[in-house]
Amino acid sequence: PEAPRIRNFSIIAHIDHGKSTLADRLLEATGTVSARQMKAQFLDRMDIERERGITIKAQTVRLSYRAADGEAYALNLIDTPGHVDFSYEVSRSLAACEGALLVVDASQGVEAQTLANVYLALENDLEIIPVLNKIDLPSADPDRVRREIEDIIGLDASAAILASAKEGLGTEEILEAVVRRIPPPGGDPAGPLRALIFDSWFDSYQGAVVLVRVVDGAIRPGDRIRMMSTGQEYEVSRVGHFAPDAVDRDVLGAGDVGFLTAAIKSVRDTRVGDTITGARRPASAPLPGFRPVKAMVFCGLYPVDSAQYDQLKEAVEKLWLNDPAFSYEPETSSALGFGFRCGFLGLLHMEIIQERLEREFELSLISTAPAVPYEVTLADGTVTKIHNPAQMPPPDRIAQVAEPYVRAEIHLPKEYVGAVMRLCDEKRGTQAGMRYLTPDRVLLTYEMPFNEIVLDFYDRLKSASRGYASLDYDFIGWRPADLVKLDILINRQPVDALSVIVHKEKAYYRGRDLAGRLRRVIPRQLYEVVIQAAVGGRVIARERIPPLRKDVTAKCYGGDITRKRKLLERQKAGKKRMKQVGSVEIPQEAFLSVLKV
Ligand code: GDP
Ligand code: MG
């Protein structure tokens, strides 16, 4: 269809408010997916997403809808993730849309990410249609939530749609609102091609599959296209859309959203955010890209079996193509060998990438504890960023260490304000504001070191508020702090991969705690293992693991062969996640024990 019959929209929501379930209803109601094919959260394609019940990668699907006005419309639905770690994905999806359904759980109300996502939508000038979901719940209070949307966000919610994605209420009304309230895409169909890459992934048969929003011009199979950032050219092999399977088309016109393939083999040539133009009649300027993002959590990833290094290298490169917020560079650790220092937006992002590397690429990995970057000013005045605690220069060469700070916005019911304020104080936070959004809901604003959030803030916040508080944060800059490197020595050898940066006042306590934890997670070995924690060469804690006395299988008395085999198998499985460091086998948990305080 021509642009006037196209609508490009997203669904935005706080996590668990029902975005994926609503997408399922839209797929069903438009016959895009039959009831027989339907699985819950259909768009959450990747296994990990299904298991964790969250949406990670935005997915795109075309719905064909005959509206009440009798016309046939093509509705391009671009699903977005709801978690704070993925706001980058949200903003790039929104750049491909003219409107968004704002789903708010009618029993919960406006939460931190409802607001964060609405702001992203408003930045992109989207038409926002509020949907009050879960009205089937007895605790639903649509009038209160409608007032919250008006008071907190400042959106007119008088025409908010009442819905139950679970029971299919309101679906038809939502589809009509998409057609009537979201403007059709603009753009110049006759102009030189400009298409925004908003997602891409690698397919071993077709090369890169690139999701684009065509802004001006059109793309057809056989066209020669050019990537504006690199100047690389390709001949288009296929264009089409997902409904939900790939459907080939003759053309993707101005205003449309779809995919293209062009036998693109080099994964570096389809960077998300880049503009595609025509090689014969190139556009003069690219489309505005996305808000740049900076990784703020780093960890080392190493193959358990060093023979898997090349596989890991290929895998991180492929994931990087698909996820520009993920970064990597080669790193060598004296303890762990060759691997990569990888950067992530947050902890969830990190876990997801690790899990994808292991599942999709069949790798077995050891990861070091996540750490934030530090900005170090040396005695001679040079300033460097450190992404690995092991790189921290010796204290006598350092003039100042600064750590990243965030402004944290916490939404919570008023009864938990006291407990959450105490937690924020403990986490070195400074209160920057407190506001009653409604008589029962409070917005607390704190400035705090991001390192504290990486440690365990989110879990602690959830327990301090019985799960009711929600969090969003933004980086506000670097602030100097009294920070030192805590080293761990195993049998007197420093293990670089276990170093952490800690606040000086907490160093003694953290060192003892960490040495104690390591004693508990490192299994007994044939020889004695001595664990030491040290700051600036001074040992502040020491633990000892006594040697094993007998062969572990000896206690099977040689009799029960199945039991013996089981024991050996269990040992073998455990070994998979062990890394030989000097003469000592260190399990994966050891590298993460610094996270537990
Ligand atoms: P998302 O994180 O926003 O994608 O949320 P999901 O669609 O995964 O839904 C989160 C949970 O809320 C799931 O357990 C859904 O079954 C449930 N849910 C979604 N919509 C409704 C609804 O209208 N009513 C009720 N009672 N539950 C719903
Ligand atoms: Mg979801």
Side-chain angles (χ1 to χ4, degrees), residues 2-74:
E2 297 292 307
R5 298 277 144 68
I6 297 174
R7 297 293 181 274
N8 298 314
F9 73 107
S10 280
I11 308 178
I12 55 179
H14 187 73
I15 195 151
D16 277 348
H17 281 200
K19 183 182 51 214
S20 300
T21 311
L22 175 60
D24 289 351
R25 293 296 85 73
L26 299 181
L27 288 168
E28 254 174 19
T30 53
T32 312
V33 176
S34 68
R36 192 174 45 81
Q37 292 171 300
M38 196 71 214
K39 287 191 254 181
Q41 279 102 42
F42 193 91
L43 291 183
D44 298 347
R45 256 180 233 199
M46 287 187 296
D47 285 349
I48 320 178
E49 293 190 27
R50 216 173 268 287
E51 279 166 31
R52 293 183 179 227
I54 52 171
T55 307
I56 302 153
K57 294 294 302 178
Q59 297 288 354
T60 307
V61 67
R62 162 168 307 215
L63 316 172
S64 301
Y65 177 62
R66 187 162 298 276
D69 64 8
E71 302 284 354
Y73 289 86

Side-chain angles (χ1 to χ4, degrees), residues 222-444:
D223 284 355
R224 245 191 124 62
I225 51 167
R226 178 184 298 166
M227 306 295 172
M228 288 192 84
S229 68
T230 60
Q232 288 287 336
E233 294 188 4
Y234 299 94
E235 189 182 307
V236 176
S237 3
R238 292 174 70 187
V239 302
H241 62 248
F242 293 101
D245 297 319
V247 176
D248 279 275
R249 299 246 303 265
D250 300 334
V251 59
L252 279 182
D256 223 336
V257 167
F259 72 86
L260 70 85
T261 64
I264 301 170
K265 292 214 178 54
S266 162
V267 295
R268 293 183 183 265
D269 286 336
T270 55
R271 285 299 276 164
V272 165
D274 194 6
T275 300
I276 295 178
T277 192
R280 214 160 298 138
R281 190 162 65 114
S284 51
L287 296 161
F290 306 105
R291 221 166 38 150
V293 283
K294 276 232 157 59
M296 274 297 165
V297 175
F298 290 82
C299 80
L301 291 181
Y302 293 83
V304 170
D305 173 2
S306 50
Q308 281 196 328
Y309 177 81
D310 285 334
Q311 259 163 283
L312 174 59
K313 182 167 181 237
E314 211 171 290
V316 288
E317 189 163 329
K318 280 186 181 156
L319 281 189
W320 173 82
L321 159 77
N322 193 226
D323 181 355
F326 163 63
S327 65
Y328 69 95
E329 58 184 64
E331 170 178 89
T332 318
S333 154
S334 56
L336 299 177
F338 294 105
F340 295 91
R341 172 93 347 205
C342 299
F344 311 90
L345 297 180
L347 289 179
L348 180 63
H349 187 214
M350 178 180 94
E351 277 177 43
I352 300 285
I353 295 272
Q354 285 177 9
E355 225 173 294
R356 290 189 61 190
L357 285 169
E358 301 203 324
R359 287 196 192 192
E360 294 170 29
F361 301 91
E362 291 172 3
L363 294 163
S364 181
L365 302 174
I366 290 273
S367 61
T368 65
V372 303
Y374 292 94
E375 191 185 78
V376 180
T377 311
L378 297 175
D380 67 7
T382 41
V383 180
T384 53
K385 288 257 163 55
I386 284 186
H387 295 141
N388 178 351
Q391 295 164 343
M392 185 65 83
D396 55 320
R397 286 187 49 212
I398 296 177
Q400 177 185 287
V401 181
E403 61 182 331
Y405 259 68
V406 294
R407 184 190 311 279
E409 301 214 317
I410 303 162
H411 284 237
L412 71 171
K414 66 169 190 274
E415 40 296 21
Y416 304 108
V417 166
V420 169
M421 281 172 60
R422 276 192 297 282
L423 170 66
C424 293
D425 285 343
E426 184 198 320
K427 294 299 198 174
R428 300 191 280 140
T430 331
Q431 194 178 325
M434 168 162 161
R435 193 154 70 88
Y436 273 81
L437 298 169
T438 68
D440 308 312
R441 292 187 66 82
V442 174
L443 169 63
L444 276 178

